[in-house]
Amino acid sequence: MFIVVSYDIVDDRRRSRVARFMEDHGDRVQKSVFECSLEEPELTRLKEKLLDRIDPEVDSVRFYRICNRCRSSIEILGAGPIKEEESVVIV
């Protein structure tokens, strides 16, 4: 499924740590926004690991599930193409 993850993290060190972590799980499309293609178990693990990296009292991480129909209607003003899912064919 297609997930948009955005965050607002108060502390610079925690924010950098979360950004580095998220770069392994999705495509950075803005400074604090990532587009990810994840299955439900992967999303659950991602949330658990993010909880270890943030302070829930002051930080915020949001997850937006985007359906395929809605994904095709994403509009972008300015730079930044929509990332297409990579097709994998195993022979």
Side-chain angles (χ1 to χ4, degrees):
M1 85 187 92
F2 187 70
I3 307 285
V4 174
V5 180
S6 67
Y7 54 84
D8 185 11
I9 298 178
V10 176
D11 181 75
D12 290 340
R13 188 172 185 187
R14 279 196 314 272
R15 187 172 46 253
S16 294
R17 191 171 172 219
V18 167
R20 283 192 306 274
F21 173 74
M22 286 302 302
E23 286 172 347
D24 292 335
H25 296 86
D27 295 312
R28 187 179 220 157
V29 294
Q30 292 184 352
K31 290 193 182 264
S32 297
V33 180
F34 285 79
E35 293 178 346
C36 308
S37 181
L38 304 168
E39 296 302 322
E40 198 64 45
E42 295 170 305
L43 178 59
T44 300
R45 283 191 301 276
L46 179 74
K47 289 177 182 179
E48 291 169 355
K49 291 180 180 182
L50 282 169
L51 268 175
D52 292 337
R53 290 167 168 79
I54 68 167
D55 179 349
E57 296 292 320
V58 294
D59 298 333
S60 171
V61 180
R62 295 174 180 239
F63 303 86
Y64 300 92
R65 297 167 190 257
I66 309 294
C67 71
N68 286 333
R69 190 181 83 239
C70 295
R71 186 176 177 192
S72 66
S73 66
I74 294 172
E75 294 181 45
I76 298 174
L77 299 177
I82 297 174
K83 303 286 184 169
E84 296 296 325
E85 286 190 50
E86 294 180 17
S87 298
V88 177
V89 178
I90 300 174
V91 181

